[in-house]
Amino acid sequence: MVRKRYSWGNIPKLQEDLSAFSNKNHQLQDFLEPYRIAAVKCLPILTTNSHSQRTGKNKILPVFEDGNETGLLITEVEALFGLPTHYTDACNLSITDRRKLLGRAWCVPVITQILKPLAEELSRL
């Protein structure tokens, strides 16, 4: 079971916008390469630790490729965070460093939802 997310703030309409956003039916399969199959519907969390991808009682990896259990590709993690493909592919960063960078990042769609009502409010000033 995915835990409920609670937020609060004094930005007008923030709560309604975040509630509408969190009720969207996002599934892991939507972010995977076409030849890969999601073993789970969603991931509870992604962190800098690669073990955060393991889910359920059996701690399975979230993707099947050619019948084998495997983790997410770095480009799939970028897509989950709302970033373009290869966005973190700069300055000769290793895959590990790119995962760490993403694990410490905010998800772009979430930040967009938070800042949207703030931008609307500031535009009225």
Side-chain angles (χ1 to χ4, degrees):
M1 183 172 143
V2 177
R3 68 182 168 92
K4 287 195 175 273
R5 305 288 196 243
Y6 294 101
S7 59
W8 60 93
N10 62 353
I11 300 170
K13 292 179 39 185
L14 174 64
Q15 204 60 43
E16 298 129 34
D17 286 355
L18 286 178
S19 294
F21 176 75
S22 65
N23 290 333
K24 289 183 181 176
N25 192 12
H26 302 284
Q27 294 186 8
L28 181 60
Q29 187 64 49
D30 301 335
F31 299 95
L32 299 180
E33 295 293 329
Y35 57 92
R36 295 163 53 87
I37 309 284
V40 295
K41 193 174 183 177
C42 67
L43 289 172
I45 191 167
L46 273 176
T47 68
T48 58
N49 187 335
S50 62
H51 294 292
S52 71
Q53 292 187 28
R54 296 191 172 273
T55 60
K57 291 180 183 178
N58 297 330
K59 299 293 181 193
I60 63 167
L61 286 168
V63 179
F64 285 114
E65 183 179 341
D66 296 328
N68 298 316
E69 192 179 292
T70 186
L72 293 167
L73 299 173
I74 193 67
T75 53
E76 294 167 341
V77 176
E78 288 172 332
L80 282 165
F81 276 81
L83 298 168
T85 302
H86 299 291
Y87 187 81
T88 60
D89 192 9
C91 303
N92 297 321
L93 290 176
S94 68
I95 295 294
T96 303
D97 288 340
R98 290 169 72 186
R99 285 191 193 283
K100 286 180 183 177
L101 183 68
L102 289 166
R104 294 182 181 121
W106 285 75
C107 181
V108 173
V110 171
I111 294 302
T112 302
Q113 286 301 123
I114 291 171
L115 294 180
K116 189 169 85 174
L118 182 60
E120 290 170 6
E121 190 65 24
L122 291 175
S123 71
R124 292 185 202 140
L125 297 178

